[in-house]
Amino acid sequence: MFTLTRRVACAGISLGCAMAALAASPAALAQSDTYPNRPVRLIVPFPPGGTSDLMGRLIAEALGKQLNQPFVVDNKAGAGGSIGAAEAARATPDGYTLLLSGIGSNAIAHGYTPKPSYDSKKDFIHISQLAAGANVLVVNPAFPARTFQEFIAYAKAHPGQFSYGQVNASSGHLSSEYLKQAAHIDIVGIPYRGGAPAVNDVLANQIPGMFTNHDAVYPHVKAGKLRALVITSPQRNPLYPDVPTVAESGYPGFSAVSWTGLSAPAGTPRPIIDKLEAAMRQAFAKPEARARLEAMGFVVVASTSQEYTQFVHQEIDHWLQVIQAAGIKFE
């Protein structure tokens, strides 16, 4: 189980990083001294306008200021982020093509059938996790359950009768599957092509509820058009201070967050990785950069490469287990 708390990386990762640093060639060191000396391409594997695109543009802006070169967002959407991630994995490992990595493209995708053409454990160097955001279970105000405990009681008393909106392979979808396993409830997912149509149907009481990204429904919750029952982060979210977590509601250790960060193709020289990691951490240590994310309810992580690598590996293993237990076949 993962949490947002930073943990000391395993000795194997630490040793590998130390050996890589010692093995850095004079050419790689020289290259890092002048890096970047031209614009850097940041592949965002989702369309413009969504949360991932926003995260990518925040990273591009911050790194551009830190490193005095343009970082240009290139949206390469499709297949739950796998198309853009595959392109990044195949790119020349010179630091001039980077990936906005995240839970969809770099963890959940490894439960697809067939699996993606890349391996997030082998084909990328994970530089720094930027932020994490919770999913929230929202229902139409007409739904009889007013608390999470009442929701669980309703689901157990009415197996198969609670229909929820799901965007296949999203963090909201997997949060639903994880809760079904943890709470032993039978609720039924209704597939949607995107989050907005599903939210609209919850607003119209066409379906009673759904798990989705906290930022996507906050205006509706604030306006009283949706009721938030529970949130999936390990700690309560500042935008939803009165909404309990799943973990504190009888399911200790439950955590299901969406996350984004910065990754590079495997083989990118370690000195360049180190420079990018330092720039990410410095940029998002600044109060103004953190405030933009925290105002939307995101937890700013700005982790080290070692921490992010360990986190990504844990996420791959965790969500693969959830997907296999649910018998889901993503095509």
Side-chain angles (χ1 to χ4, degrees), residues 17-86:
C17 291
M19 292 177 67
L22 290 172
S25 68
L29 292 170
Q31 184 182 7
S32 72
D33 287 340
T34 60
Y35 174 86
N37 56 22
R38 55 186 169 88
V40 177
R41 176 190 181 210
L42 175 59
I43 294 178
V44 173
F46 293 96
T51 300
S52 294
D53 182 59
L54 170 65
M55 294 292 188
R57 294 181 189 280
L58 287 176
I59 289 176
E61 178 184 345
L63 291 183
K65 290 179 179 178
Q66 286 292 125
L67 298 174
N68 299 312
Q69 280 289 341
F71 280 67
V72 181
V73 168
D74 185 6
N75 297 94
K76 294 285 184 180
S82 294
I83 289 176

Side-chain angles (χ1 to χ4, degrees), residues 73-157:
V73 168
D74 185 6
N75 297 94
K76 294 285 184 180
S82 294
I83 289 176
E87 183 169 333
R90 296 191 298 265
T92 302
D94 57 5
Y96 289 95
T97 299
L98 304 173
L99 173 70
L100 181 82
S101 45
I103 185 173
S105 56
N106 294 93
I108 293 173
H110 293 289
Y112 289 0
T113 305
K115 294 185 183 299
S117 60
Y118 55 91
D119 184 335
S120 290
K121 290 184 177 181
K122 298 178 180 178
D123 295 334
F124 292 100
I125 299 175
H126 301 294
I127 299 167
S128 179
Q129 182 186 350
L130 170 59
N135 291 295
V136 60
L137 173 61
V138 292
V139 295
N140 186 280
F143 185 67
R146 301 192 63 83
T147 67
F148 180 61
Q149 286 78 11
E150 290 177 0
F151 165 78
I152 294 295
Y154 178 94
K156 290 186 174 181

